[in-house]
Structure formats: structure tokens, C-alpha cells
């Protein structure tokens, strides 16, 4: 008779660790049961996932009109790093919009099935198991998994306290993190920057980027600049705030005298700037490290993009009139949607971090409002978890600050890049959750 063994025990140790329930299990449940006013009125409203739905109609029309797939789309095409046509289109498009100091060429680009794969490739290529990448808090919530999970890499996170995480003063905290890791026997081999920043929704000053380049040269770290929101920069009409900086790609900086250029890499994709997460198309750009390109040939097949997506994105990027109008209209709609959300937050005295002008996020302190409404709950339970439960009881999902390494409890990230009626429904449910509180306290324990 076959042995009656727990199926989990038959897996590798790393697989057993991942088989345990996690926060992202909740996310997949929510994505499979999303609210629709007619088709699924009992579903979840989600403003917690970084998706931009403001331009889907225009995107759908362009793709439908121009699909015209050739028979080569049903083959392996030009290989796993992306078609010659797409890489040429990316080089031309990003050359115009990101203003690289060194002209961008097809050979500098590896196409991947989303930026997630590009992040993992950089971790795999730049570190050995047990080495580390360093990132500042708060950070994009998927960075830990993308960087660490399969490459078996450590993550060194940097706290800033009262210092602006995107200021020049924060650079010394990164250096302290590098040196503290060394004392623990951990080699930091790479730094991940997100510019524009997720979740803070701001851009780094050029002078700050230069200081990071110098720091990475000093300690011989790879600097990986995730610029997936590079064209999602808009005018903030609500906050009279001095930190509304323009976007500067790391490629636009003259690296001479600052850093060995083979240590500098850029990531970009269509998920955010073109509101097309589902196309699953990103790219990795390294202009001065041909050895990296050779090394990634061995793993590129595992991240190769669909030939259909390759074709569709090439169509988008080659159509200058459409792409330019799309970017401009998207920026206008994001500005309007931000104003909609901020008007609601101010009208309900909800504290938020001002100054966003990139991405589609508002960093909001729901914990403070929750305790004002329910002062008896202070100190009774983890504040972030309790607010999350209250939101879920209203069938609303927001990403909690815990996922982003927030240093303050009760922080949540609002994604405002949705149609106004959907955002309106979400905000009303959010306020209801704060007023009503968590009805299931006796059974809620995460």
C-alpha cells in the first residue's frame, strides 16, 4: 500500500514555506470576485492593486483596429529576448521619452513577460545566494518576492524615521544599511530604486540620483532603476507642495566620473504607463554590460513574452500619434482622478501624504481616523489588521502599509486610477468601514 504522507511533506523546503497561507492568497481571492454593479453586486471593490483602468477603452480600440497578426507570431520568432521589431520600437520610443545620454539601441534591451521577471533576472544575475539587495522603506510590496524568492537573496531594508525617503539626506541611511549588513556578514550587491516611487507617487531629484550613483560606485553595487511609472507623471492641482519634481530617467544622467556604467540598469514595461498589466510585457535595459545580456540568454526562455503581446506592443509604440495622445490624455485623467480622491479625503478629515504627481497612489492614514471613531480600540489589537478587517467586511480591498514596509501603523495605499463611479463606490465603503468598525472582532485574528 502507498504510504499515507502529508502531500506538503513531499515538497521541497522552499515550496513548503510558500504553501503556507499568505496575504497574497487574499488578493487572488478578491481578484476572482470583483464587484460589478449589475453582474456581481456582492463582489469586492478593489482599489488596492496597481492597475490603471482610465484608458482601457482607447487601448481596446487601438488593439482591435491594428491587430493584423502575421504567421510568425505562432513561432518562436526571433528568440526569447523579444523580436527585432519590438526591441527597435522600444529603443526608439524610450529614446524619445526617457532622453538617454547614450543613444538607446536594440542590443541594450531584453524583453520579458512583465517587469516582475526583469526584477528577478537582475537579482539572479547580480548576486549569489545569501547576498543582498538594499531598498528603502516604504517600498513596492512585490519587491521582496521578486528579488528574494527564487534567487535566494536577502533583502536589506532601510528605515528613515522623520527623514524624507526621497531626499538627499536619506542617502546616508542607505550607506549605514550597507555597512550594518557587512557587520552581519551579508554582502549587499545591488540597490533597487523605484523612480517614480511606488507607493509615494513622487520622482527623485536628479541630484539625489547622482548621489545614489556615487554610493553604488563606492561599494560596487548594481543600481537597478525601476522606471515603470516614467510616463505616468501628471499635474497635482490639489497640494501646494514644493516636491512636485519632474521625472528624470537614470539613463539621462552622464555617468562619466560617477560610476562604472556596467553597474547601471533600467526596467520599464507597459503595465503602468499604458494601463496594460494583462499584456505582461516589460523590458530590462543595460547599455554597457554585454556580459549581462549573454548571461541572461540562459534564462530568457523562462520569461519570454507571447508573440501576440510582442506584436501588439510594437504596434502601440510605432504609432507616434496614438502613443503621444494616449500618454497626454492619461496624465490629464490621472490628475482629475487624484483631485476626486483628495476632495473626499479632505471632506472627511482623513490624513494623507501630500505631494504626489506620479503613479496612481495616495498614501492615507486610515488608522488615525479609525481610532478617532473607536477610541476604545486603542492598544487592543494590531491597528493595521483591525482596519483591514473592517474594510474587508465592507467588501473593499486596499493594500495595507505592512506590504510596503510602512513605518507607521494604519497606513493604506489607495489606487485612484479607476473610473469615477468605481472610485466613488470604493471611497464610500472605506468611510463606512471607519465609521462602523470591525464587527467580527471576536473571530478576527490574523
Amino acid at each position: 500500500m502507498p504510504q499515507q504522507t502529508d502531500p506538503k511533506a513531499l515538497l521541497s523546503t522552499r515550496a513548503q514555506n510558500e504553501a503556507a497561507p499568505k496575504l497574497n492568497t487574499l488578493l487572488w481571492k478578491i481578484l476572482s470576485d470583483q464587484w460589478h454593479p449589475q453582474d456581481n453586486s456582492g463582489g469586492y471593490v478593489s482599489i488596492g492593486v496597481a492597475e490603471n483602468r482610465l484608458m482601457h477603452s482607447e487601448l481596446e480600440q487601438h488593439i482591435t483596429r491594428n491587430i493584423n497578426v502575421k504567421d510568425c507570431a505562432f513561432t518562436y520568432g526571433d528568440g526569447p529576448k523579444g523580436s527585432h521589431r519590438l526591441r527597435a520600437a522600444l529603443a526608439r520610443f524610450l529614446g524619445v521619452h526617457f532622453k538617454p545620454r547614450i543613444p538607446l539601441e536594440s542590443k541594450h534591451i531584453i524583453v520579458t513577460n512583465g517587469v516582475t521577471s526583469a526584477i528577478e533576472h537582475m537579482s539572479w544575475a547580480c548576486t549569489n545566494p545569501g547576498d543582498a539587495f538594499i531598498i528603502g522603506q516604504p517600498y513596492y510590496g512585490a519587491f521582496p518576492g521578486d528579488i528574494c524568492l527564487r534567487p535566494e537573496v536577502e533583502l536589506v531594508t532601510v528605515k528613515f524615521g522623520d527623514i524624507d525617503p526621497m531626499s538627499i539626506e536619506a542617502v546616508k541611511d542607505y550607506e549605514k544599511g550597507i555597512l550594518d549588513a557587512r557587520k552581519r556578514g551579508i554582502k549587499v550587491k545591488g540597490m533597487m530604486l523605484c523612480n517614480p516611487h511606488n507607493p509615494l507617487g513622487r520622482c527623485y531629484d536628479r541630484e539625489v540620483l547622482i548621489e545614489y550613483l556615487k554610493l553604488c560606485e563606492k561599494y560596487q553595487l548594481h543600481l537597478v532603476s525601476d522606471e515603470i511609472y516614467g510616463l505616468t507623471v501628471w499635474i497635482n492641482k490639489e497640494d501646494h507642495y514644493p516636491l512636485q519634481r519632474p521625472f528624470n530617467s537614470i539613463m539621462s544622467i552622464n555617468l562619466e566620473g560617477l560610476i562604472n556604467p556596467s553597474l547601471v540598469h533600467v526596467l520599464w514595461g507597459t503595465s503602468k504607463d499604458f494601463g496594460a498589466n494583462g499584456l505582461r510585457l516589460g523590458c530590462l535595459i543595460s547599455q554597457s554590460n554585454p556580459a549581462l545580456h549573454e548571461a541572461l540568454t540562459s534564462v530568457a526562455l523562462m520569461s519570454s513574452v507571447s508573440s501576440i503581446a510582442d506584436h501588439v506592443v510594437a504596434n502601440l509604440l510605432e504609432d507616434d500619434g496614438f502613443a503621444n495622445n494616449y500618454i497626454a490624455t492619461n496624465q490629464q485623467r490621472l490628475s482629475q482622478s487624484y483631485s476626486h480622491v483628495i476632495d473626499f479625503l479632505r471632506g472627511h478629515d482623513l490624513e494623507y501624504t501630500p505631494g504626489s504627481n506620479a503613479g496612481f497612489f495616495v498614501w492615507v492614514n486610515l488608522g488615525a481616523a479609525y481610532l478617532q471613531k473607536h477610541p476604545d480600540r486603542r492598544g487592543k489589537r494590531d491597528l493595521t489588521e483591525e482596519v483591514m478587517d473592517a474594510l474587508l467586511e465592507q467588501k473593499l480591498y486596499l493594500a495595507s502599509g505592512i506590504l510596503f514596509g510602512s513605518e507607521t501603523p494604519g497606513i493604506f495605499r489607495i489606487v485612484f486610477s479607476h473610473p469615477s463611479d468605481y472610485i466613488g463606490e470604493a471611497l464610500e465603503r472605506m468611510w463606512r468601514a471607519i465609521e462602523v468598525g470591525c464587527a467580527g472582532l471576536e473571530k478576527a485574528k490574523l
Side-chain angles (χ1 to χ4, degrees), residues 267-313:
L267 311 178
W268 185 78
T270 59
S271 293
K272 316 305 178 185
D273 287 342
F274 279 92
N277 300 54
L279 283 179
R280 308 307 309 135
L281 193 139
C283 65
L284 184 164
I285 303 164
S286 189
Q287 292 186 280
S288 303
N289 197 326
L292 173 70
H293 287 266
E294 289 298 321
L296 290 176
T297 300
S298 64
V299 294
L301 184 60
M302 290 180 278
S303 66
S304 61
V305 70
S306 154
S307 295
I308 304 296
D310 184 302
H311 175 76
V312 164
V313 174

Side-chain angles (χ1 to χ4, degrees), residues 193-353:
L193 290 183
C194 191
N195 181 37
H197 194 281
N198 173 7
L200 297 180
R202 287 161 36 207
C203 303
Y204 284 95
D205 265 342
R206 178 177 288 267
E207 290 74 17
V208 176
L209 294 174
I210 288 171
E211 291 305 309
Y212 282 120
L213 289 165
K214 292 178 181 177
L215 182 67
C216 288
E217 172 63 18
K218 181 177 180 179
Y219 293 100
Q220 288 297 283
L221 310 186
H222 290 270
L223 192 154
V224 183
S225 183
D226 181 350
E227 301 183 358
I228 196 170
Y229 294 97
L231 302 178
T232 307
V233 180
W234 38 271
I235 296 173
N236 182 332
K237 300 177 181 178
E238 301 301 319
D239 306 322
H240 300 292
Y241 202 68
L243 297 177
Q244 294 186 35
R245 306 175 177 115
F247 166 68
N248 292 286
S249 171
I250 205 82
M251 292 188 291
S252 69
I253 297 174
N254 183 0
L255 302 182
E256 186 176 352
L258 297 176
I259 190 173
N260 179 344
S262 65
L263 290 171
V264 179
H265 320 278
V266 170
L267 311 178
W268 185 78
T270 59
S271 293
K272 316 305 178 185
D273 287 342
F274 279 92
N277 300 54
L279 283 179
R280 308 307 309 135
L281 193 139
C283 65
L284 184 164
I285 303 164
S286 189
Q287 292 186 280
S288 303
N289 197 326
L292 173 70
H293 287 266
E294 289 298 321
L296 290 176
T297 300
S298 64
V299 294
L301 184 60
M302 290 180 278
S303 66
S304 61
V305 70
S306 154
S307 295
I308 304 296
D310 184 302
H311 175 76
V312 164
V313 174
N315 281 346
L316 292 174
L317 302 183
E318 290 170 348
D319 188 338
D320 291 340
F322 172 80
N324 292 336
N325 182 67
Y326 186 100
I327 292 164
T329 305
N330 182 44
Q331 292 170 344
Q332 292 170 6
R333 291 181 186 177
L334 286 166
S335 178
Q336 293 165 359
S337 191
Y338 179 81
S339 294
H340 179 186
V341 171
I342 297 308
D343 184 62
F344 183 94
L345 297 181
R346 287 176 175 165
H348 293 78
D349 293 321
L350 290 169
E351 177 187 334
Y352 73 97
T353 301

Side-chain angles (χ1 to χ4, degrees), residues 27-70:
L27 173 59
W28 303 132
K29 173 186 174 183
I30 287 164
L31 290 180
S32 67
D33 183 24
Q34 294 196 64
W35 174 80
H36 186 277
Q38 289 83 40
D39 300 339
N40 189 24
S41 59
Y44 287 91
V45 172
S46 171
I47 53 171
V49 180
E51 292 183 317
N52 182 358
R53 298 172 52 215
L54 296 176
M55 298 288 295
H56 279 181
S57 177
E58 287 83 352
L59 191 64
E60 178 185 353
Q61 291 173 21
H62 187 277
I63 291 173
T64 301
R65 285 197 309 264
N66 297 282
I67 189 68
N68 192 27
V69 176
K70 308 296 184 183

Side-chain angles (χ1 to χ4, degrees), residues 411-432:
I411 298 292
F412 287 79
R413 186 191 72 173
I414 294 174
V415 175
F416 59 80
S417 46
H418 294 275
S420 59
D421 56 344
Y422 192 91
I423 280 289
E425 176 71 21
L427 294 174
E428 291 297 336
R429 292 189 187 199
M430 184 180 75
W431 182 245
R432 196 180 313 135

